[in-house]
Amino acid sequence: MKTVIMGAGFASLSAACYMARAGHEVVVLEKNATPGGRARQFVRGEFRFDMGPTFYWMPDLFERFFADFGRRPQDYYRIFRLDPSYEIVFGEDDRIALPAGAEAAAALFERVEPGSGRFLERFLRSARNNYRTAVERVIFRPGLSPLELVMPQTVARLPQFVFSLGHKVRRGVRDERLRRVLEFPSLFLGAKPDKTPSFYRFMNHADMALGTWHVEGGISRVADALVQLAESLGVRIETRHPVREIVVERSRVCGVRTPQDFFDADCLISGADYHHTESLLPARLRNYSETYWRHKVFAPSAMLFYIGFRGRVGGVSHHTLFFDTSFEAHASKLYDRPGWPEKPLFYASFPSKSDPTLCPAGCETAVVLIPTAAGLTDTPDLRASYFEQVIHRMECLTGERLRERVLFSRSYAARDFVRDYNACRGNAYGLANTLSQTAFLRPKVCSRRLRNLFYTGQLTVPGPGVPTALVSGRIAAECALSRCSEAAAHKTFSYGSTLR
């Protein structure tokens, strides 16, 4: 059988591998010049920047994915654990560097606020149990029914879906800086801590116990690994092939059309933006209306700057968060009253501090990210203003003269996410993981009206993130293979079994 997959991000490449392993003839159609989706790389001379994800969390999920194909991550790339995992700057001479390991983190908490170390130990034990429940019982579910979540492990944790992460943290820790350390991972879930279900504390286990890792050469090396694996399984990847039309006959997708060619399909899996994919279908064949999408709560978009510095930058770690302004004011501009923050929080990655392969000797690479509300319109003047602000604040907080050492910079924001990824409202992280957008309440993997159309990626289950994208691809492939095997029962094919 022939499977066409739209997009070549992590979820699409994952689905392609599983479909090819099952014996399907698979072609992946990518609109951009290189595969990898948001994990593309920007190269300027000897400088290399990850354009999207920069954190490598949940290494066990990467290991599980490659093990499904008899491989290991180290067959393709090398990772090493960062210590400190990251540093949060709250002001001049006021910063917390989170050490690697749960015990070291508890000791740090205890030094800052007596009694908080014991709270963190209890909190992380619960987080570890939640992580096991999530990985073993929840995230591999296709989100087709609420009954998928009805099991002793989740019923016992029902209050954690009612109370928020922020509520739990603030009951146990008084120091505002330590609260920010525990609430920081919720940023990856795309919601305010007081809107994120407490069950998601499992992200703190991923953060403090499983650790923050770096991929030598950048996260794009993981995308390269998936491409190598997919091609070794017989997957064909066509870049610069944007899908312009999904062709439907008799309530089934029969193929897709790009500017170059028509690709017939027995099965279509879209890892492209869900809303964009549905825009290629007649309204009567879509899962969701425009009204549905207007009422969804999106995780933030982002304004990014890729900067090459002459000389090494002091006073920063590989991952540094600048929380020297009001968290509440910025969060309000993200979710309550969407708009451009006057004094934004921002995150800066200096990967060349750990990986000298990313820039020329004696230089530094930096990726600066400002979370912004989805759906905003940015301008060149706005980008220039924010660039000057973050450079000025980094100078003040690090004591380094930076502006005169900028060799070059490139900005990337909402309209670029729309142009490059067809991202709905220019989002960078998908849908916020609020209670009303969790598990079976997320957009469905299976089309309700076209039996051979399936969706994968950050807008479906299990949610945003690189390791969860690998899971999403597996879920979509399993759903597709299940339906295809049902259809195959009524046909005779010459190429053997659909499933292995």
Side-chain angles (χ1 to χ4, degrees), residues 325-348:
T325 61
S326 170
F327 184 97
E328 289 74 16
H330 190 156
S332 177
K333 288 293 187 179
L334 290 177
Y335 299 107
D336 302 330
R337 297 182 300 279
W340 293 102
E342 181 180 352
K343 294 182 179 179
L345 309 174
F346 63 93
Y347 153 70

Side-chain angles (χ1 to χ4, degrees), residues 257-271:
R257 200 178 307 280
T258 72
Q260 296 91 336
D261 208 348
F262 176 81
F263 296 83
D264 59 317
D266 298 301
C267 174
L268 175 63
I269 300 175
S270 178

